[in-house]
Amino acid sequence: MSNVITASHLTLAYNNGKTEIIKDATFSIKQGEFVFITGPSGSGKSTLLKALYGQLKPSEGDLVVGGLDLTNVRQGRLQELRTHLGIIFQDYKLVNEWTVAKNAILPLMIAGYTIDVQETQAQRLLKHVKLSEHADKYPLELSGGEQQRVGVARALSKNPAVILADEPTGNLDDYSSNVIWDLMENACEQLDTTVLVVTHKIPSVFSLPYRHFIIESKGVYEVH
Amino acid sequence: MKFIKNHLMFILPLMAILLGIEFYLVFDRTTDSYEEGLKERYSMLVVSKEPIEFSTFKSLENHVSSVKEIERENIVAKVAKGIDDSASDEIIMALPYFYEVRLDSYLDLDNLEKIKANLKVNKNIKKVETFGSSHGSAYRLFKFIKFTLKLFLFFISIVSLFLIIKQMEIWKYAHKERMQVMEIFGAPLMLRSGILFKIAFLDAFIATFLTSLVFLYVKLVWAGVSGIDIIVKNQEKIFKMSDIGILLFSALFIVIIAVYFVVFSAKGVEE
Ligand SMILES: Nc1ncnc2c1ncn2[C@@H]1O[C@H](COP(=O)(O)OP(=O)(O)OP(=O)(O)O)[C@@H](O)[C@H]1O
Ligand SMILES: [Mg+2]
């Protein structure tokens, strides 16, 4: 199967290359794989995801995502790539002046689906993440865990080719966490979605085969 | 309250520009006719012993464009009311011939003196009066006022444009979070900054409407009672309905530039 993500000798840095976070990392991820990424706080997990969705340009090495060379990419192509990604942020990044339902279907809105499709899809999604009764509320009226689940619903709304999730269960109890893991497992299993999840705790019950990377001391290592 | 303030901060400078544009248009139109008037009223009085044909005038001075003989009967009728006909006939016979001579272009004083001299070559022409000196300085003052006004309007426009862009940046900041989220999910520029375009377009319409109202008021109410000759005479030129189109077009043009300026100054990818 083909590689969805290929990094070779990848170096990521802030401040115009002065603050190196990840150095000389080489790895690849195939389509349909489920990958956990762990590592200490501040090790660069979120930074790696940022590079994968094109928000941080590699300072050295190569990074190819979905066939797109992110070291040198035009804005239009990057825009197109991003519509195939489902990103879950550590800090949720919901739009506070939009309702929960509208937040959840942002990718559908961007893709230009009709209002009807958007509405039915919003209902379906919010039911999945157990937020049906909150559809018309605004993000700031929700608890942290509820906001996080809106973020998950948004990321899954358009059945993305790749899910990039940053601590998607960071604020959730075991029950809610399992709901999220189930959703991701389903996407991976049934839709062949590639899933990368940054987490501090790999779930104890997990039915799919998965790979595990650790980020530590600027390196990205795979645990076998 | 804050909402209204934000919009006013955008609408007012935009209106300043639109008022400037409209004022310029009006000024240009009314002064065009004023300039025409200056030229038309601009004539010479020639006094001659014998009648002179237009062709003779033309041969003396090529700038002559038209010649009108002033009826001597009228002159006599004015000065000699109640005098019997035979007496007034005698007076008429004794009078020289008067001609109002118009020129084909506006000329400065030196040229007028030359024309005067050229006409006097004809022995019959006893006197040539010009009104050059008063017209010349009035005209020059006029040109000067026109120039300073243009300069003033230009600077007002520049300053206003900066204010508009500043306000646009405040808006961008207010909508930054949403625009960034949308960008990360691959929304195209137009969708991301749609809100800015919406606000800007709305305000462009409001500013055009208000500016039109101001000028309609000036035209329909104020102009009639202003007592200013040139304004009363040119009332219909003060605001034409087609000006609304010009203003709206200008307003939209300005806000589109402002929005693009702000949107493209946003930094996307971190280096
Ligand atoms: N925009 C930025 N500019 C400069 N330095 C940054 C920026 N973002 C993150 N960093 C630094 O990069 C390092 C890695 O940050 P990152 O957010 O990737 O860590 P993380 O592994 O996700 O940590 P956590 O588990 O706490 O979320 C940190 O030392 C952080 O201070
Ligand atoms: Mg992080």
Side-chain angles (χ1 to χ4, degrees):
Chain A
M1 236 179 260
S2 63
N3 283 340
V4 171
I5 297 169
T6 312
S8 58
H9 306 290
L10 176 68
T11 296
L12 301 176
Y14 291 109
N15 305 323
N16 280 323
K18 285 198 275 291
T19 319
E20 283 185 346
I21 307 296
I22 285 173
K23 197 169 164 58
D24 202 23
T26 299
F27 61 90
S28 62
I29 293 162
K30 290 189 174 63
Q31 191 191 333
E33 285 188 318
F34 203 111
V35 179
F36 284 112
I37 300 168
T38 61
S41 178
S43 57
K45 305 182 293 294
S46 300
T47 301
L48 177 62
L49 290 191
K50 223 190 241 183
L52 293 177
Y53 59 77
Q55 192 71 9
L56 178 66
K57 220 175 178 177
S59 34
E60 271 170 65
D62 285 324
L63 180 60
V64 179
V65 176
L68 207 58
D69 178 5
L70 292 185
T71 52
N72 182 20
V73 64
R74 281 191 303 120
Q75 198 59 32
R77 300 294 304 278
L78 183 59
Q79 209 170 284
E80 151 79 10
L81 170 71
R82 283 172 170 177
T83 61
H84 297 293
L85 305 179
I87 309 165
I88 299 168
F89 300 93
Q90 196 169 11
D91 55 355
Y92 321 143
K93 285 209 196 315
L94 301 178
V95 177
N96 289 328
E97 61 267 33
W98 286 353
T99 61
V100 165
K102 187 164 180 186
N103 266 285
I105 47 95
L106 173 63
L108 299 176
M109 199 175 91
I110 290 171
Y113 283 85
T114 62
I115 301 290
D116 280 355
V117 174
Q118 292 182 23
E119 273 171 5
T120 45
Q121 191 69 355
Q123 281 169 14
R124 194 182 65 83
L125 282 163
L126 293 178
K127 204 166 127 202
H128 277 320
V129 294
K130 316 274 185 265
L131 286 175
S132 293
E133 69 273 31
H134 298 300
D136 295 327
K137 285 192 181 172
Y138 290 88
L140 295 180
E141 298 168 345
L142 302 183
S143 74
E146 286 164 343
Q147 290 184 39
Q148 186 151 42
R149 281 181 280 152
V150 178
V152 173
R154 177 177 64 185
L156 298 178
S157 66
K158 217 184 114 235
N159 295 330
V162 180
I163 292 173
L164 303 172
D166 201 346
E167 301 271 11
T169 60
N171 247 312
L172 302 179
D173 57 34
D174 284 350
Y175 170 75
S176 296
S177 298
N178 286 332
V179 169
I180 302 300
W181 295 131
D182 279 347
L183 283 171
M184 295 204 182
E185 276 185 295
N186 279 341
C188 182
E189 207 171 24
Q190 287 160 21
L191 302 170
D192 208 23
T193 307
T194 310
V195 185
L196 268 78
V197 185
V198 169
T199 183
H200 62 278
K201 186 167 152 259
I202 295 176
S204 44
V205 205
F206 201 76
S207 55
L208 289 183
Y210 62 85
R211 295 169 72 190
H212 178 195
F213 288 103
I214 293 182
I215 301 184
E216 211 171 21
S217 330
K218 298 186 186 177
V220 180
Y221 312 99
E222 182 161 13
V223 184
H224 291 284
Chain B
M1 232 11 249
K2 208 174 142 219
F3 176 81
I4 294 175
K5 190 189 136 215
N6 275 340
H7 276 269
L8 279 183
M9 296 290 278
F10 192 86
I11 291 172
L12 289 180
L14 192 55
M15 270 183 77
I17 296 181
L18 294 185
L19 286 171
I21 291 172
E22 181 58 30
F23 196 74
Y24 177 81
L25 287 176
V26 171
F27 192 80
D28 224 40
R29 268 185 227 134
T30 48
T31 56
D32 261 5
S33 66
Y34 182 68
E35 269 182 75
E36 279 305 308
L38 275 184
K39 265 185 215 154
E40 261 170 41
R41 265 178 287 152
Y42 184 81
S43 58
M44 297 173 133
L45 183 70
V46 173
V47 184
S48 165
K49 265 193 279 184
E50 296 295 325
I52 304 176
E53 292 293 314
F54 174 69
S55 55
T56 317
F57 275 112
K58 195 76 185 167
S59 64
L60 288 169
E61 172 53 56
N62 203 34
H63 277 300
V64 171
S65 70
S66 75
V67 174
K68 202 173 101 191
E69 188 181 345
I70 298 167
E71 295 288 333
R72 297 192 294 178
E73 284 80 0
N74 291 349
I75 299 170
V76 173
K78 262 184 199 153
V79 295
K81 270 183 195 137
I83 296 174
D84 64 62
D85 282 359
S86 61
S88 70
D89 278 351
E90 259 175 62
I91 296 174
I92 288 173
M93 295 307 285
L95 275 180
Y97 295 82
F98 297 93
Y99 295 96
E100 190 185 320
V101 174
R102 286 171 195 270
L103 303 178
D104 60 0
S105 58
Y106 186 85
L107 298 168
D108 62 23
L109 285 180
D110 289 349
N111 279 312
L112 287 179
E113 287 305 318
K114 263 186 221 158
I115 291 174
K116 234 165 148 175
N118 285 342
L119 291 174
K120 278 187 176 165
V121 167
N122 188 309
K123 286 285 172 297
N124 282 324
I125 293 178
K126 292 199 283 195
K127 207 160 176 57
V128 179
E129 277 307 323
T130 63
F131 307 100
S133 66
S134 64
H135 276 155
S137 64
Y139 188 74
R140 247 171 266 160
L141 179 67
F142 205 76
K143 283 275 183 203
F144 177 71
I145 291 172
K146 205 165 166 175
F147 171 74
T148 37
L149 188 77
K150 279 179 193 173
L151 203 66
F152 177 70
L153 292 178
F154 175 75
F155 278 109
I156 290 275
S157 301
I158 296 283
V159 171
S160 303
L161 199 61
F162 276 118
L163 288 176
I164 288 172
I165 287 175
K166 255 277 67 65
Q167 182 55 38
M168 205 87 227
E169 268 166 359
I170 291 173
W171 267 327
K172 186 181 86 174
Y173 192 75
H175 298 287
K176 195 172 153 197
E177 178 203 54
R178 171 180 40 203
M179 285 168 72
Q180 276 178 350
V181 171
M182 290 178 89
E183 186 182 3
I184 289 177
F185 280 91
L189 181 89
M190 279 310 280
L191 191 60
R192 275 188 335 249
S193 37
I195 182 78
L196 291 184
F197 278 105
K198 258 186 229 161
I199 296 172
F201 281 4
L202 177 71
D203 286 359
F205 277 103
I206 293 175
T208 305
F209 178 73
L210 292 179
T211 308
S212 303
L213 273 193
V214 168
F215 270 86
L216 278 175
Y217 174 81
V218 167
K219 174 184 181 158
L220 299 175
V221 182
W222 183 78
V225 296
S226 67
I228 302 170
D229 186 46
I230 186 171
I231 290 181
V232 176
K233 256 191 247 157
N234 290 299
Q235 197 169 348
E236 87 287 353
K237 283 185 183 149
I238 288 178
F239 188 81
K240 293 182 177 169
M241 284 306 145
S242 59
D243 287 2
I244 296 178
I246 296 175
L247 292 181
L248 187 62
F249 181 81
S250 313
L252 291 178
F253 182 73
I254 291 165
V255 298
I256 286 174
I257 290 190
V259 172
Y260 267 94
F261 183 84
V262 167
V263 169
F264 279 110
S265 63
K267 207 166 138 280
V269 179
E270 291 173 43
E271 297 295 326

PDB file of all heavy atoms in Angstrom, chain A residues 53-68:
ATOM      1  N   TYR A  53       0.003  19.282   8.604  1.00  0.00           N
ATOM      2  CA  TYR A  53      -1.076  19.996   7.888  1.00  0.00           C
ATOM      3  C   TYR A  53      -0.599  21.303   7.269  1.00  0.00           C
ATOM      4  O   TYR A  53      -1.402  22.157   6.896  1.00  0.00           O
ATOM      5  CB  TYR A  53      -2.352  20.152   8.730  1.00  0.00           C
ATOM      6  CG  TYR A  53      -2.260  20.896  10.043  1.00  0.00           C
ATOM      7  CD1 TYR A  53      -2.185  22.285  10.080  1.00  0.00           C
ATOM      8  CD2 TYR A  53      -2.301  20.215  11.247  1.00  0.00           C
ATOM      9  CE1 TYR A  53      -2.151  22.970  11.290  1.00  0.00           C
ATOM     10  CE2 TYR A  53      -2.262  20.882  12.466  1.00  0.00           C
ATOM     11  CZ  TYR A  53      -2.188  22.265  12.473  1.00  0.00           C
ATOM     12  OH  TYR A  53      -2.151  22.932  13.664  1.00  0.00           O
ATOM     13  N   GLY A  54       0.699  21.447   7.164  1.00  0.00           N
ATOM     14  CA  GLY A  54       1.244  22.540   6.356  1.00  0.00           C
ATOM     15  C   GLY A  54       1.267  23.896   7.017  1.00  0.00           C
ATOM     16  O   GLY A  54       1.425  24.911   6.351  1.00  0.00           O
ATOM     17  N   GLN A  55       1.137  23.925   8.331  1.00  0.00           N
ATOM     18  CA  GLN A  55       1.150  25.207   9.020  1.00  0.00           C
ATOM     19  C   GLN A  55       2.570  25.604   9.416  1.00  0.00           C
ATOM     20  O   GLN A  55       2.832  26.756   9.722  1.00  0.00           O
ATOM     21  CB  GLN A  55       0.236  25.143  10.251  1.00  0.00           C
ATOM     22  CG  GLN A  55      -0.074  26.470  10.897  1.00  0.00           C
ATOM     23  CD  GLN A  55      -1.000  27.334  10.043  1.00  0.00           C
ATOM     24  OE1 GLN A  55      -1.536  26.881   9.046  1.00  0.00           O
ATOM     25  NE2 GLN A  55      -1.166  28.588  10.429  1.00  0.00           N
ATOM     26  N   LEU A  56       3.458  24.626   9.415  1.00  0.00           N
ATOM     27  CA  LEU A  56       4.858  24.889   9.754  1.00  0.00           C
ATOM     28  C   LEU A  56       5.728  24.272   8.664  1.00  0.00           C
ATOM     29  O   LEU A  56       5.674  23.066   8.417  1.00  0.00           O
ATOM     30  CB  LEU A  56       5.199  24.270  11.118  1.00  0.00           C
ATOM     31  CG  LEU A  56       6.637  24.420  11.592  1.00  0.00           C
ATOM     32  CD1 LEU A  56       6.968  25.881  11.859  1.00  0.00           C
ATOM     33  CD2 LEU A  56       6.856  23.593  12.850  1.00  0.00           C
ATOM     34  N   LYS A  57       6.502  25.105   8.020  1.00  0.00           N
ATOM     35  CA  LYS A  57       7.330  24.635   6.912  1.00  0.00           C
ATOM     36  C   LYS A  57       8.576  23.931   7.458  1.00  0.00           C
ATOM     37  O   LYS A  57       9.210  24.465   8.368  1.00  0.00           O
ATOM     38  CB  LYS A  57       7.762  25.848   6.094  1.00  0.00           C
ATOM     39  CG  LYS A  57       7.745  25.611   4.600  1.00  0.00           C
ATOM     40  CD  LYS A  57       8.066  26.918   3.916  1.00  0.00           C
ATOM     41  CE  LYS A  57       8.124  26.740   2.412  1.00  0.00           C
ATOM     42  NZ  LYS A  57       8.375  28.011   1.750  1.00  0.00           N
ATOM     43  N   PRO A  58       8.922  22.765   6.930  1.00  0.00           N
ATOM     44  CA  PRO A  58      10.141  22.096   7.385  1.00  0.00           C
ATOM     45  C   PRO A  58      11.347  22.999   7.151  1.00  0.00           C
ATOM     46  O   PRO A  58      11.439  23.643   6.114  1.00  0.00           O
ATOM     47  CB  PRO A  58      10.231  20.854   6.487  1.00  0.00           C
ATOM     48  CG  PRO A  58       8.847  20.644   5.991  1.00  0.00           C
ATOM     49  CD  PRO A  58       8.225  21.993   5.906  1.00  0.00           C
ATOM     50  N   SER A  59      12.260  23.045   8.133  1.00  0.00           N
ATOM     51  CA  SER A  59      13.445  23.877   7.876  1.00  0.00           C
ATOM     52  C   SER A  59      14.513  23.078   7.151  1.00  0.00           C
ATOM     53  O   SER A  59      15.356  23.638   6.454  1.00  0.00           O
ATOM     54  CB  SER A  59      13.976  24.519   9.151  1.00  0.00           C
ATOM     55  OG  SER A  59      13.801  23.684  10.259  1.00  0.00           O
ATOM     56  N   GLU A  60      14.488  21.735   7.336  1.00  0.00           N
ATOM     57  CA  GLU A  60      15.386  20.891   6.528  1.00  0.00           C
ATOM     58  C   GLU A  60      14.718  19.550   6.260  1.00  0.00           C
ATOM     59  O   GLU A  60      13.783  19.166   6.956  1.00  0.00           O
ATOM     60  CB  GLU A  60      16.715  20.667   7.271  1.00  0.00           C
ATOM     61  CG  GLU A  60      17.773  21.733   6.979  1.00  0.00           C
ATOM     62  CD  GLU A  60      18.961  21.588   7.916  1.00  0.00           C
ATOM     63  OE1 GLU A  60      19.649  20.553   7.834  1.00  0.00           O
ATOM     64  OE2 GLU A  60      19.166  22.511   8.725  1.00  0.00           O
ATOM     65  N   GLY A  61      15.223  18.829   5.297  1.00  0.00           N
ATOM     66  CA  GLY A  61      14.700  17.508   4.988  1.00  0.00           C
ATOM     67  C   GLY A  61      13.444  17.576   4.136  1.00  0.00           C
ATOM     68  O   GLY A  61      13.056  18.648   3.670  1.00  0.00           O
ATOM     69  N   ASP A  62      12.842  16.398   3.948  1.00  0.00           N
ATOM     70  CA  ASP A  62      11.654  16.325   3.094  1.00  0.00           C
ATOM     71  C   ASP A  62      10.433  15.886   3.877  1.00  0.00           C
ATOM     72  O   ASP A  62      10.532  15.070   4.794  1.00  0.00           O
ATOM     73  CB  ASP A  62      11.905  15.316   1.958  1.00  0.00           C
ATOM     74  CG  ASP A  62      12.824  15.909   0.905  1.00  0.00           C
ATOM     75  OD1 ASP A  62      12.712  17.127   0.663  1.00  0.00           O
ATOM     76  OD2 ASP A  62      13.652  15.155   0.360  1.00  0.00           O
ATOM     77  N   LEU A  63       9.307  16.396   3.465  1.00  0.00           N
ATOM     78  CA  LEU A  63       8.043  15.958   4.060  1.00  0.00           C
ATOM     79  C   LEU A  63       6.989  15.927   2.966  1.00  0.00           C
ATOM     80  O   LEU A  63       6.699  16.940   2.340  1.00  0.00           O
ATOM     81  CB  LEU A  63       7.616  16.921   5.180  1.00  0.00           C
ATOM     82  CG  LEU A  63       6.310  16.559   5.878  1.00  0.00           C
ATOM     83  CD1 LEU A  63       6.387  15.189   6.537  1.00  0.00           C
ATOM     84  CD2 LEU A  63       5.944  17.621   6.917  1.00  0.00           C
ATOM     85  N   VAL A  64       6.457  14.711   2.709  1.00  0.00           N
ATOM     86  CA  VAL A  64       5.431  14.570   1.682  1.00  0.00           C
ATOM     87  C   VAL A  64       4.160  14.038   2.327  1.00  0.00           C
ATOM     88  O   VAL A  64       4.181  13.009   3.004  1.00  0.00           O
ATOM     89  CB  VAL A  64       5.895  13.617   0.561  1.00  0.00           C
ATOM     90  CG1 VAL A  64       4.801  13.464  -0.492  1.00  0.00           C
ATOM     91  CG2 VAL A  64       7.179  14.136  -0.082  1.00  0.00           C
ATOM     92  N   VAL A  65       3.059  14.729   2.156  1.00  0.00           N
ATOM     93  CA  VAL A  65       1.772  14.297   2.700  1.00  0.00           C
ATOM     94  C   VAL A  65       0.759  14.244   1.566  1.00  0.00           C
ATOM     95  O   VAL A  65       0.579  15.229   0.850  1.00  0.00           O
ATOM     96  CB  VAL A  65       1.270  15.266   3.801  1.00  0.00           C
ATOM     97  CG1 VAL A  65      -0.114  14.844   4.289  1.00  0.00           C
ATOM     98  CG2 VAL A  65       2.245  15.334   4.953  1.00  0.00           C
ATOM     99  N   GLY A  66       0.157  13.067   1.400  1.00  0.00           N
ATOM    100  CA  GLY A  66      -0.836  12.916   0.342  1.00  0.00           C
ATOM    101  C   GLY A  66      -0.272  13.265  -1.024  1.00  0.00           C
ATOM    102  O   GLY A  66      -0.970  13.843  -1.853  1.00  0.00           O
ATOM    103  N   GLY A  67       1.009  12.952  -1.242  1.00  0.00           N
ATOM    104  CA  GLY A  67       1.631  13.213  -2.530  1.00  0.00           C
ATOM    105  C   GLY A  67       2.090  14.644  -2.711  1.00  0.00           C
ATOM    106  O   GLY A  67       2.614  15.011  -3.765  1.00  0.00           O
ATOM    107  N   LEU A  68       1.908  15.467  -1.684  1.00  0.00           N
ATOM    108  CA  LEU A  68       2.266  16.873  -1.806  1.00  0.00           C
ATOM    109  C   LEU A  68       3.543  17.161  -1.025  1.00  0.00           C
ATOM    110  O   LEU A  68       3.632  16.878   0.168  1.00  0.00           O
ATOM    111  CB  LEU A  68       1.118  17.718  -1.243  1.00  0.00           C
ATOM    112  CG  LEU A  68       0.947  19.116  -1.792  1.00  0.00           C
ATOM    113  CD1 LEU A  68       0.734  19.101  -3.288  1.00  0.00           C
ATOM    114  CD2 LEU A  68      -0.227  19.792  -1.092  1.00  0.00           C
TER     115      LEU A  68
END
